[in-house]
Amino acid sequence: MINGVYYNPRLDLKNYLEGPLSHNPATRLRQMLARPGIVVAPGICDGISARCAIEAGFECLYQSGAATTASRLGNPDLAIATMNDFVDSAQMVCGINPTMPVIADADTGFGGPINVARTVTAYARAGVAGLHIEDQVQTKRCGHLMGKQVVSREEFVTRIRAAVLARDAIPGGSDFVIIGRTDSAQVLGMEEAVYRLKLAADAGADVCFIEGVKTSELLKQTVAALAPKPVLVNVISGGLTPAFTYKDAEEMGAKIIIFSLVSCVAMVHAVRAAMHSLKKTGTDFATAQGMDPKAFFEVMGLNDVVEFDARAGGTAFKEV
């Protein structure tokens, strides 16, 4: 602490400017934050969407709480999913490519300070590179829905402080990234939202996440007010934030951009069309678009599995 402001010299971004990218996903994320260029993290909701994002060449993934709730539970983003739901999903996603940084939604931290600490520890053990904790009440909702309620400044700061303390207590010195998110802009105004993010930064948040910023000018002002702290912006088609491209966001000074629902919305359109086509035509031939089972499994890592089995001396998958 320096004059009441959290400071850990080991985690200063200048320590991550040089050298090869680490195989540790949290360290790798810090290196990406320290170096030029915006971090683009598409929202994924399951193993298929994660595989497709990696295949497309993305270098960071975002496990959206809304997308995970929809995919795992078939429910809307209304505080229905639990920490265990999110951790189980994260463990699977992080296992696909253990060096790939995954930023994961942690909602409100799922309770008081000890629950927040438990969440941080569980996410870090699952292989997540960083998470965001928000200032909504426990009965939270998607940040792009109306009717949001937020806790006091003091409770928000307590959540962030608990997350930082939990990260710093991980044996060996963890690089796990703590992101403070505020949903207060729609409830209390932008001035209050920026002030809350300053408080989060002072409490040790590594990145500030402004949810529902409505104009490019407001995003620029937020970035300037919080500098040099990195700022994350969330873009959802049809949501509160304009449809910024990642180049737009970079020019405005944002350091991370997430597209929370890019996978699950596309999935709804594709699966809905496939189901209607099957119902109408009696076959899935058209919607398969020539993809046979082997081609599908190749997207899911078939060749890597077969190769590993052969290297270990296995013969079960000599022919697939």
Side-chain angles (χ1 to χ4, degrees):
M1 286 282 182
I2 299 176
N3 296 323
V5 176
Y6 175 88
Y7 178 67
N8 185 335
R10 184 181 64 79
L11 299 178
D12 194 309
L13 284 182
K14 69 174 183 288
N15 297 325
Y16 300 86
L17 285 168
E18 298 179 356
L21 289 175
S22 174
H23 293 298
N24 179 296
T27 305
R28 194 182 191 95
L29 179 56
R30 286 189 180 273
Q31 290 172 319
M32 294 166 74
L33 290 173
R35 300 175 188 190
I38 191 168
V39 177
V40 183
I44 52 92
C45 57
D46 60 9
I48 296 175
S49 55
R51 288 279 186 185
C52 289
I54 294 169
E55 181 186 71
F58 288 100
E59 297 178 352
C60 184
L61 303 178
Y62 174 63
Q63 179 176 291
S64 159
T68 303
T69 302
S71 177
R72 290 182 67 86
L73 305 179
N75 282 137
D77 185 12
L78 297 176
I80 297 169
T82 66
M83 184 196 79
N84 290 338
D85 292 319
F86 286 178
V87 169
D88 287 348
S89 181
Q91 199 164 27
M92 176 273 296
V93 169
C94 294
I96 293 173
N97 181 348
T99 66
M100 172 81 70
V102 175
I103 299 169
D105 189 348
D107 283 354
T108 62
F110 306 103
I114 196 64
N115 302 86
V116 172
R118 182 169 176 260
T119 298
V120 169
T121 303
Y123 275 48
R125 285 176 179 163
V128 173
L131 58 67
H132 60 77
I133 301 277
E134 67 197 47
D135 60 354
Q136 285 198 57
V137 297
Q138 296 297 341
T139 49
K140 61 141 292 173
R141 65 198 63 198
C142 169
H144 292 254
L145 294 178
M146 299 297 105
K148 291 189 292 185
Q149 295 176 284
V150 295
V151 297
S152 67
R153 294 173 178 175
E154 292 75 18
E155 186 170 346
F156 178 43
V157 171
T158 296
R159 290 176 183 176
I160 299 301
R161 191 180 296 117
V164 171
L165 288 170
R167 187 269 314 285
D168 290 351
I170 295 173
S174 174
D175 283 340
F176 193 81
V177 175
I178 305 297
I179 303 169
R181 162 178 157 173
T182 185
D183 286 75
S184 60
Q186 289 74 53
V187 184
L188 303 171
M190 282 297 297
E191 185 176 340
E192 174 67 14
V194 171
Y195 187 77
R196 285 177 175 233
L197 290 178
K198 287 181 178 179
L199 292 176
D202 287 349
D206 301 295
V207 177
C208 292
F209 177 174
I210 180 77
E211 180 65 298
V213 61
K214 292 185 175 181
T215 69
S216 58
E217 191 55 41
L218 286 174
L219 178 56
K220 289 177 187 176
Q221 291 172 10
T222 302
V223 169
L226 296 170
K229 193 64 69 173
V231 171
L232 181 155
V233 63
N234 179 24
V235 174
I236 295 177
S237 181
L240 295 171
T241 300
F244 301 137
T245 66
Y246 64 81
K247 289 184 178 179
D248 292 336
E250 184 174 19
E251 288 172 0
M252 291 177 230
K255 188 60 187 176
I256 304 176
I257 185 169
I258 58 176
F259 295 88
S260 295
L261 299 185
V262 62
S263 296
C264 56
V265 168
M267 205 171 288
V268 166
H269 290 308
V271 174
R272 181 181 277 165
M275 293 301 172
H276 282 296
S277 177
L278 175 61
K279 180 74 173 174
K280 182 178 180 180
T281 67
T283 177
D284 69 345
F285 181 80
T287 55
Q289 298 180 54
M291 179 177 279
D292 61 25
K294 185 175 181 180
F296 171 71
F297 294 136
E298 284 174 346
V299 178
M300 299 303 112
L302 173 68
N303 294 335
D304 290 338
V305 174
V306 170
E307 181 189 349
F308 181 87
D309 185 77
R311 284 169 55 205
T315 58
F317 304 120
K318 248 180 155 179
E319 184 179 359
V320 291

